[in-house]
């Protein structure tokens, strides 16, 4: 039996968060979405026993958070043995080529610049949905 993939959205702009969730639902993805508006709370959650015990996550990450940089969160996730396989989609307003490359170097899977072309976003999320439907948590020893 495989656990459903939980979507963790780390986005401080409430309007963007609602729009992202609406587009995920519009793409017929029913996975649970856990939303955090601050990086610190999201990091606490990511490294909690609940997440460690229940497995697979997809992380939607804004880089410009009020309390910390999303790049720091990405680095922590990809440095962790249990979390490093979690796909990370960066959704941010920055289209700086150096920052984009840094995110890919750290291990992000997709980098999307806001304001998002919602047709392209919906397509990416649908493709992610197919991926989520077949993704399984690695067996824990």
């Amino acid at each position: 039996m495989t656990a459903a993939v939980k979507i963790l959205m780390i986005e401080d702009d409430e309007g963007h968060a609602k729009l992202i969730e609406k587009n995920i639902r519009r793409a017929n993805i029913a996975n649970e979405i856990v939303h955090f508006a601050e990086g610190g709370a999201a990091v606490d959650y990511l490294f909690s026993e609940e997440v460690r015990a229940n497995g697979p996550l997809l992380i939607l990450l804004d880089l410009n958070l009020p309390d910390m940089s999303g790049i720091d969160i990405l680095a922590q996730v990809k440095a962790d043995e249990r979390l490093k396989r979690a796909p990370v989609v960066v959704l941010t307003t920055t289209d700086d080529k150096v920052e984009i490359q840094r995110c890919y170097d750290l291990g992000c899977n997709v980098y999307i610049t806001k304001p998002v072309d919602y047709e392209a976003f919906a397509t990416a999320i649908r493709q992610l949905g197919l991926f989520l439907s077949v993704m399984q948590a690695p067996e824990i020893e």
Side-chain angles (χ1 to χ4, degrees):
M1 190 194 107
T2 55
V5 175
K6 193 177 286 188
I7 299 171
L8 176 62
M9 180 177 14
I10 308 169
E11 168 63 69
D12 64 318
D13 182 308
E14 204 54 51
H16 280 143
K18 283 186 169 66
L19 212 46
I20 292 164
E21 182 164 357
K22 191 167 105 182
N23 279 279
I24 289 170
R25 299 303 179 215
R26 201 183 282 157
N28 292 322
I29 295 171
N31 299 55
E32 179 184 351
I33 299 173
V34 180
H35 174 229
F36 288 96
E38 292 191 340
V43 169
D44 289 346
Y45 176 75
L46 279 165
F47 290 91
S48 70
E49 281 309 310
E50 177 192 345
V51 169
R52 293 191 169 287
N54 296 319
L57 275 182
L58 164 73
I59 302 167
L60 301 177
L61 178 62
D62 182 13
L63 294 184
N64 306 309
L65 299 164
D67 60 336
M68 67 190 298
S69 164
I71 287 178
D72 294 338
I73 297 171
L74 176 62
Q76 287 181 52
V77 165
K78 293 302 180 179
D80 184 80
E81 201 50 48
R82 296 283 297 265
L83 295 174
K84 69 181 180 189
R85 287 185 197 85
V88 177
V89 177
V90 171
L91 289 162
T92 192
T93 52
T94 311
D95 63 357
D96 176 277
K97 297 209 178 325
V98 173
E99 190 161 282
I100 293 169
Q101 190 56 54
R102 186 157 172 227
C103 287
Y104 281 118
D105 289 347
L106 284 169
C108 96
N109 300 75
V110 182
Y111 189 106
I112 300 174
T113 306
K114 296 185 286 194
V116 174
D117 167 350
Y118 280 97
E119 207 43 57
F121 178 71
T123 300
I125 292 294
R126 267 194 294 278
Q127 289 168 342
L128 229 33
L130 294 172
F131 170 71
L132 292 178
S133 67
V134 298
M135 184 175 137
Q136 296 181 358
E139 290 298 312
I140 307 302
E141 299 294 316

